Amino acid sequence: MTDVAELVETTAARLGAAGVVFGHGFDSAWDEAVAHVLHDTGLPDDRRVLGTAVTADQRRRVSELLDRRIDDRVPLAYLLGRCRFAGHEFLIEPDVVVPRSPIGGLIEQGFAPWLSRPPQRILDLCCGSGCIGIAAALAFPDAEVDLVDVDPRAVALARRNVALHRLRSRVRVRESNLFDRLPAGTWDLILSNPPYVNATDMGALPVEHRHEPESGLAGGDDGLALVVRILAALPQRLEAGGLLVCEVGASAPALLKRYPRLEFVWPALPGGGEGVFLLSQAR
């Protein structure tokens, strides 16, 4: 009789042999296999379940989903309809980029030591599923949070995730092209994981990433099309003493070349990764 541990091992082996690409919330075949098997068996993420016997029906479900993962190269999060980010679970749909930003690790640390006080107003620009802003709302329970995205599909999903986490009383979701349709005002913490993949890298993305909406990834020739607009708006939108946290990934060298005089801070990222900068608004 097959148990959970054996099913995880065979699933990981198939993923490894197939040469699938990871990077949508999982770092390895083993990590993805664990999430896959636990989802299809309905068991908790606990070592004590490794010896639990799995039924023929459970093995069939794992195999069928694994076939889609390997044959079509669909990211597992889309197949499951859920993913984890910054220690919390979120709903995810194929029309929205899969949550995986290293900003999540900074949220779990409370942005220490860069925040001088807990933020009262938080803005998540290009929010997608809403994972960054919602995780920040959970980390700072006294803060009011605005989630903003230009894509109505992302806005609809973000609203579902706000409801999932019972945050409707202090988290608003708005459809806007960055700041264009937002009311006047400032925020003391602005978070953003905007599209930042440059044109060259977009042409070389693996198949898994091509299942995600191009509009959620492509940042123009140098990857900075939206980042430039965010930075231009900061004097009017970031509170004095406030903090911008923005991910630019591999477009970081282009950012430094374009803004040689700005005092970017590049923090060590708790969960690994690269290309997240902090920028403070002078008092």
Side-chain angles (χ1 to χ4, degrees):
M1 182 175 291
T2 303
D3 62 19
V4 169
E6 292 170 319
L7 189 55
V8 168
E9 288 177 0
T10 57
T11 300
R14 281 193 61 191
L15 288 168
V20 300
V21 172
F22 305 103
H24 288 89
F26 303 101
D27 297 326
S28 67
W30 180 265
D31 289 341
E32 184 166 310
V34 169
H36 185 160
V37 170
L38 292 181
H39 176 273
D40 281 350
T41 58
L43 292 169
D45 188 359
D46 188 320
R47 286 185 174 274
R48 288 174 292 184
V49 306
L50 291 175
T52 302
V54 293
T55 66
D57 187 55
Q58 288 172 330
R59 292 199 304 272
R60 178 187 55 78
R61 289 202 301 270
V62 169
S63 180
E64 288 176 352
L65 206 65
L66 186 57
D67 287 342
R68 290 190 61 197
R69 173 71 178 97
I70 291 172
D71 295 342
D72 300 331
R73 293 300 201 259
V74 181
L76 182 63
Y78 288 151
L79 297 175
L80 303 184
R82 292 176 177 267
C83 62
R84 292 193 66 79
F85 177 80
H88 307 288
E89 187 168 88
F90 294 89
L91 305 173
I92 190 63
E93 296 173 349
D95 291 330
V96 181
V97 171
V98 176
R100 55 186 179 274
S101 173
I103 292 174
L106 298 177
I107 294 172
E108 292 180 290
Q109 290 187 339
F111 298 104
W114 301 284
L115 278 179
S116 59
R117 62 183 185 277
Q120 297 302 300
R121 297 196 70 214
I122 301 173
L123 174 63
D124 178 4
L125 284 175
C126 306
C127 71
S129 64
C131 62
I132 290 177
I134 290 170
L138 294 169
F140 299 104
D142 294 326
E144 293 188 354
V145 181
D146 290 297
L147 310 181
V148 174
D149 205 286
V150 69
D151 188 338
R153 297 167 299 182
V155 168
L157 179 59
R159 286 185 173 133
R160 290 177 61 202
N161 278 317
V162 169
L164 176 68
H165 290 280
R166 301 180 180 180
L167 290 170
R168 285 174 173 163
S169 63
R170 59 188 182 90
V171 178
R172 295 176 295 269
V173 186
R174 304 177 187 271
E175 184 178 333
S176 176
N177 189 343
L178 298 182
F179 298 99
D180 290 354
R181 295 176 59 186
L182 300 188
T186 59
W187 290 264
D188 45 11
L189 177 61
I190 298 179
L191 309 171
S192 187
N193 177 19
Y196 60 73
V197 182
N198 66 38
T200 300
D201 289 346
M202 280 297 298
L205 288 177
V207 176
E208 278 85 350
H209 290 76
R210 296 189 180 279
H211 284 279
E212 298 181 287
E214 183 177 341
S215 61
L217 301 174
D221 288 346
D222 63 357
L224 302 178
L226 270 71
V227 178
V228 167
R229 292 175 56 199
I230 293 170
L231 292 175
L234 278 193
Q236 292 76 40
R237 292 300 195 168
L238 186 61
E239 183 73 19
L243 185 69
L244 168 67
V245 182
C246 184
E247 181 176 353
V248 292
S251 294
L255 180 75
L256 293 170
K257 183 177 180 180
R258 186 185 279 253
Y259 297 100
R261 296 184 180 180
L262 285 185
E263 296 182 359
F264 298 114
V265 174
W266 301 89
L269 300 171
E274 62 177 3
V276 173
F277 72 82
L278 313 179
L279 189 62
S280 298
Q281 179 81 301
R283 292 185 181 276

